[in-house]
Amino acid sequence: MTFSEIKITTDYIKERIGGFKPLVGIVLGSGLGSVADAIENPIIIPYKEIPNFPVSTAVGHKGNFIFGHLGGRPVVAMQGRFHYYEGYRMDQVTLPIRVMVLLGIRALIVSNAAGGVNPDFKIGDIMIIRDHINALPNPLIGPNMPEFGHRFPDMTRPYDLDIIKFVKKVATGLGIEVKEGVYYAGTGPSYETPAEYKYFRMIGADAVGMSTIPEVIVARHSGVPVFGMSVITNEAHDFSSTDYENNADDVVDAANAAASRMLSIVVEALRVATPPTPQGRDEKEDA
């Protein structure tokens, strides 16, 4: 996808949202779309209406771009993301992030449902992503887009340490227990075998999924700070039961059950990611 095509998509969205300027982008994964219900004065744009946008087909992904205020901050939220396993190219998977960058976001918050390969993790746990291991195609393969960033972006700290430190402190004050760990992303859509889960654990992964990392790479390519979280929706480390199986509906149900805690954490992450903006203000001052 060319820069001109991304610009066409961005210009269309700008027309739909008027003078609204989001400062933080939020990606809501499987079962977490209900967090978007807390966005005030929403402007909802279905993906199917946006030029060049794919359509989300994954379970638990509604497929809307939502603009509005959350925790007093102007945000844009993806109510459902795109996945490589849906048959989309990586430039399509990450298109919304590049659009967010052109819309002016200053930080990105990503979330997902993941299997817990760390034996200390239980269903319903929230894991702050400290680092990741990528087994998906890198979205920066191909000609570089200098309009967004340099050819070889640094990934030493893909997830912002200051935001992580702040959120961990606030979560403790709210009585919300959070884990911290490394997220591994593979292509899917099949769930992994017991041997693969064991391998992921051996190489340092704490949770495994099929998304998120391409979005993070593209955001960091543009110099946008990132904060990430996983909801542990299945325990991918104990197969002693002969009737155990991974089930997509169970994953969505487990993510839904954690949505209220995720919302509390997202709101606090917004506090440190960007200063407050008075709700209802005409945000054309620096246009």
Side-chain angles (χ1 to χ4, degrees):
M1 188 163 293
T2 65
F3 180 77
S4 295
E5 290 173 316
I6 299 171
K7 186 73 163 50
I8 289 171
T9 303
T10 306
D11 289 344
Y12 172 83
I13 292 173
K14 284 182 177 179
E15 290 181 4
R16 293 285 298 269
I17 63 177
F20 185 84
K21 292 188 177 181
L23 295 184
V24 179
I26 305 171
V27 182
L28 300 169
S30 298
L32 297 169
S34 61
V35 173
D37 295 338
I39 295 177
E40 299 177 351
N41 301 321
I43 303 170
I44 302 174
I45 309 176
Y47 294 159
K48 62 184 179 181
E49 298 178 5
I50 303 174
N52 301 317
F53 251 51
V55 176
S56 185
T57 66
V59 175
H61 292 249
K62 291 186 177 181
N64 294 315
F65 236 4
I66 303 179
F67 295 81
H69 283 80
L70 185 62
R73 274 66 172 177
V75 302
V76 51
M78 289 185 69
Q79 198 174 28
R81 57 158 51 91
F82 309 124
H83 302 81
Y84 185 65
Y85 67 70
E86 294 175 87
Y88 294 126
R89 304 185 311 269
M90 272 300 166
D91 61 335
Q92 295 174 303
V93 169
T94 57
L95 171 62
I97 307 305
R98 285 188 160 140
V99 169
M100 289 180 183
V101 170
L102 293 184
L103 289 173
I105 65 166
R106 299 180 187 174
L108 178 70
I109 298 173
V110 293
S111 66
N112 58 56
V117 296
N118 186 321
D120 294 331
F121 288 3
K122 304 299 180 186
I123 293 174
D125 282 348
I126 294 176
M127 184 191 84
I128 293 174
I129 304 175
R130 180 182 69 249
D131 203 344
H132 66 231
I133 300 170
N134 186 34
L136 285 162
N138 192 303
L140 302 184
I141 291 174
N144 184 50
M145 289 191 183
E147 297 90 348
F148 290 102
H150 298 294
R151 169 81 280 188
F152 302 106
D154 177 52
M155 293 295 288
T156 308
R157 289 170 291 278
Y159 302 90
D160 190 271
L161 299 180
D162 290 335
I163 300 178
I164 290 174
K165 181 179 179 181
F166 177 84
V167 170
K168 287 172 64 177
K169 180 179 179 180
V170 170
T172 299
L174 293 173
I176 300 174
E177 181 182 1
V178 293
K179 308 290 187 178
E180 189 176 348
V182 175
Y183 176 78
Y184 175 102
T187 64
S190 57
Y191 288 109
E192 295 78 8
T193 69
E196 288 170 332
Y197 284 134
K198 182 178 180 180
Y199 169 68
F200 301 153
R201 186 164 64 248
M202 290 175 64
I203 65 173
D206 295 289
V208 59
M210 307 171 189
S211 67
T212 304
I213 295 178
E215 300 154 358
V216 174
I217 292 173
V218 165
R220 295 303 302 132
H221 180 234
S222 294
V224 174
V226 177
F227 174 75
M229 293 180 292
S230 298
V231 177
I232 305 303
T233 51
N234 54 300
E235 297 177 11
H237 54 74
D238 183 5
F239 298 92
S240 57
S241 174
T242 56
D243 61 353
Y244 177 86
E245 66 174 24
N246 283 312
N247 182 285
D249 291 331
D250 291 342
V251 166
V252 172
D253 290 343
N256 279 330
S260 62
R261 287 178 292 137
M262 288 284 281
L263 175 60
S264 297
I265 293 174
V266 167
V267 169
E268 294 303 327
L270 288 170
R271 287 178 55 195
V272 69
T274 184
T277 300
Q279 192 162 340
R281 189 189 74 183
D282 184 2
E283 296 170 338
K284 298 180 180 178
E285 298 164 352
D286 56 349

